[in-house]
Amino acid sequence: MVFKNPNPMCKEELFEGALAQMRKAYAYVDLTDNVKEVLEHTKEMLQANLLVRMDSGSLKVFPAIRVRYNDELGPTKGGIRFHPNVSVDEVKSLAFWMTMKCAVVNLPYGGGKGGVQVDPKRLSAREIESLARAYIKAFADFIGPDKDIPAPDVYTNATIMGWMMDEYNDITRKQNPAVITGKPLNLGGSKGRNVATSLGGYYIFKEACERLDLGKGITIAIQGFGNAGMHMAKLLANEGYRVVAVSDSKGAVYNPVGLDIAHLIEHKQKRRKEGEFSSISVCDNCREGDKKITNEELLELKVDVLIPAALENVITRKNADKIKAKLVIELANGPTATEADHILSKKGIVVVPDILANAGGVVVSYFEWVQNKAGFYWEEQKVFDRLRAKMTRAFEEVYLESEKHKIDLRTSAYVVALKRIMEAIEAKGRHPYD
Ligand code: GLU
């Protein structure tokens, strides 16, 4: 086992919790035991210790993993995470959720995920580049444009995807832009990919608000200010919504009148060098009327909409009872622990699940892959129109299923996903012979 210090929150229980979400949906789909057997197990995974020459001249080892959870619908797809708490259980769970997410929005993909146990804030741009290249050296035979296609995730970005593609091309001695998505525009990236997770989440948010009769006057809190949280805050503020609280790993800032999001973004991005990660926090430059609070307090604020946009397991059995929002849009993967789900639902809180709410990222990754394969690139408006069409269609399907069976949106999203995967498994003809 190469992984040290696994996050105590992320033992096998994260994966078990993810499976429990899926099992809840079994009652509403006529699944064969074959399908359950396939979907409750990881297809394959590879672990490696990455060696990086640090700026000091010394060599340092970083444990890394890539998981291909399931490829019944197509090549596996999913990001690579750089984070100190990365563990086998976490990456397995994330790869499982990618499988379900791609199926919910009807992409021709299975699910995968990768991770490196590292604190990228402590690395220079050169060290991050070496780490990115070392990852591809280790996993080049495991990934591929028609087999397993990585993308950005927590603490990885377009610059890192560009380095990774370049390394893969060096190894294979040909141009393979479709091996990885979320690349810079000048290396075959897609217009709109950097805002895709948030924009997809915004379309879902609009659909949900309409169903719940929530108008423009509502208050919104966003936990997490990475790519997803930051762009979501910007989008909402630009559309005239009142974002009253945002946070990052260091803490949160709250202003009941509404925050100045443009100012917070400008502050957060100060002194950031290309390829490096900022250690500046949204909460260390409060303006008049802003109050510094903790991440935990942000989650429990009396707001209409809560958007967890950081890591998994932030709404748990311990705090679920204190959540006051009417609507939760899961822009992060796995932010609600499975035991918290029924507490929220008992309180009448509507949760739009991660596998639907944050699927915008992988949808535009798919568009990027299609453009790479065709060698023909789309205008931004075309990307946005097609993203909106995919997201609203998926929302409607999930919503209809939830109305039909009187179940929560998470369970109905799993129902939609399971039906698609089951059809693919059955179409391949692997029927039992008894
Ligand atoms: N990391 C993102 C997610 O969790 C995007 C994955 C992708 O684009 O493949 O959905």
Side-chain angles (χ1 to χ4, degrees), residues 77-79 98 101 113 151-153 181 193 333 358 361-362 365:
K77 182 88 193 81
M98 283 308 302
K101 192 187 302 185
K113 202 80 170 197
D153 195 73
T181 59
R193 177 62 184 85
N333 289 308
N358 73 31
V362 72
S365 273

Side-chain angles (χ1 to χ4, degrees), residues 167-187:
E167 187 65 32
Y168 187 79
N169 289 347
D170 278 356
I171 293 168
T172 56
R173 289 176 179 270
K174 55 181 177 187
Q175 298 293 326
N176 304 281
V179 70
I180 197 156
T181 59
K183 301 179 292 293
L185 284 181
N186 54 10
L187 291 180

Side-chain angles (χ1 to χ4, degrees), residues 157-393:
N157 53 29
T159 310
I160 295 173
M161 297 305 111
W163 292 329
M164 288 183 163
M165 179 196 73
D166 185 56
E167 187 65 32
Y168 187 79
N169 289 347
D170 278 356
I171 293 168
T172 56
R173 289 176 179 270
K174 55 181 177 187
Q175 298 293 326
N176 304 281
V179 70
I180 197 156
T181 59
K183 301 179 292 293
L185 284 181
N186 54 10
L187 291 180
S190 174
K191 288 192 173 140
R193 177 62 184 85
N194 59 337
V195 296
T197 308
S198 332
L199 190 57
Y202 178 73
Y203 295 143
I204 293 290
F205 157 86
K206 291 288 284 180
E207 294 291 325
C209 284
E210 205 177 293
R211 304 304 197 286
L212 295 180
D213 227 5
L214 297 175
K216 269 269 159 84
I218 56 175
T219 52
I220 303 165
I222 304 177
Q223 192 242 358
F225 215 65
N227 177 282
M230 184 189 79
H231 283 117
M232 189 67 169
K234 192 171 165 180
L235 264 168
L236 289 165
N238 287 348
E239 292 296 323
Y241 285 98
R242 189 146 54 108
V243 180
V244 295
V246 300
S247 74
D248 55 30
S249 57
K250 298 217 175 105
V253 53
Y254 170 56
N255 188 333
V257 182
L259 294 165
D260 182 344
I261 298 298
H263 164 78
L264 285 170
I265 294 176
E266 200 195 305
H267 166 69
K268 178 94 183 163
Q269 290 186 331
K270 241 184 263 167
R271 297 203 311 266
R272 221 191 89 182
K273 255 180 42 200
E274 190 62 31
E276 279 181 2
F277 289 94
S278 160
S279 47
I280 300 174
S281 170
V282 285
C283 62
D284 39 54
N285 188 20
C286 288
R287 283 153 72 99
E288 215 187 305
D290 293 357
K291 197 176 151 208
K292 208 170 152 171
I293 59 171
T294 63
N295 266 284
E296 292 71 32
E297 287 168 333
L298 177 144
L299 296 168
E300 296 167 16
L301 283 174
K302 191 169 173 356
V303 288
D304 297 296
V305 183
L306 174 63
I307 308 183
L311 296 169
E312 53 275 6
N313 263 343
V314 295
I315 303 176
T316 62
R317 191 173 359 108
K318 291 194 190 114
N319 65 358
D321 210 30
K322 300 187 199 122
I323 306 287
K324 297 171 194 76
K326 301 184 182 91
L327 172 65
V328 176
I329 305 276
E330 293 187 338
L331 220 48
N333 289 308
T336 310
T338 306
E339 327 86 71
D341 250 342
H342 81 275
I343 306 176
L344 297 181
S345 120
K346 256 205 337 248
K347 290 178 64 148
I349 299 173
V350 174
V351 179
V352 185
D354 47 4
I355 57 171
L356 171 63
N358 73 31
V362 72
V363 167
V364 178
S365 273
Y366 165 61
F367 295 162
E368 180 174 330
W369 182 77
V370 167
Q371 292 170 77
N372 292 152
K373 284 189 165 268
F376 180 76
Y377 290 83
W378 310 348
E379 287 311 320
E380 188 172 72
Q381 197 52 49
K382 188 180 206 104
V383 173
F384 291 165
D385 291 346
R386 288 184 163 164
L387 172 63
R388 180 191 276 266
K390 269 250 171 253
M391 298 305 292
T392 48
R393 173 88 198 260

Side-chain angles (χ1 to χ4, degrees), residues 8-29:
M9 297 289 288
C10 296
K11 299 259 173 55
E12 269 296 288
E13 69 234 38
L14 191 62
F15 182 62
E16 277 306 317
L19 287 185
Q21 295 176 340
M22 173 172 75
R23 289 186 185 128
K24 260 174 91 176
Y26 285 175
Y28 309 98
V29 201

Side-chain angles (χ1 to χ4, degrees), residues 86-154:
V86 161
S87 67
V88 177
D89 176 45
E90 183 191 44
V91 180
K92 226 164 90 174
S93 310
L94 291 164
F96 166 81
W97 284 318
M98 283 308 302
T99 306
M100 297 297 145
K101 192 187 302 185
C102 292
V104 172
V105 286
N106 202 8
L107 299 180
Y109 286 145
K113 202 80 170 197
V116 181
Q117 203 180 73
V118 56
D119 183 356
K121 286 185 196 157
R122 290 162 169 265
L123 264 51
S124 68
R126 195 204 61 80
E127 289 166 340
I128 293 179
E129 178 173 349
S130 300
L131 183 68
R133 290 184 183 276
Y135 189 92
I136 296 301
K137 282 191 191 97
F139 295 98
D141 296 325
F142 202 64
I143 62 170
D146 297 306
K147 184 182 173 196
D148 179 38
I149 307 137
D153 195 73
V154 173

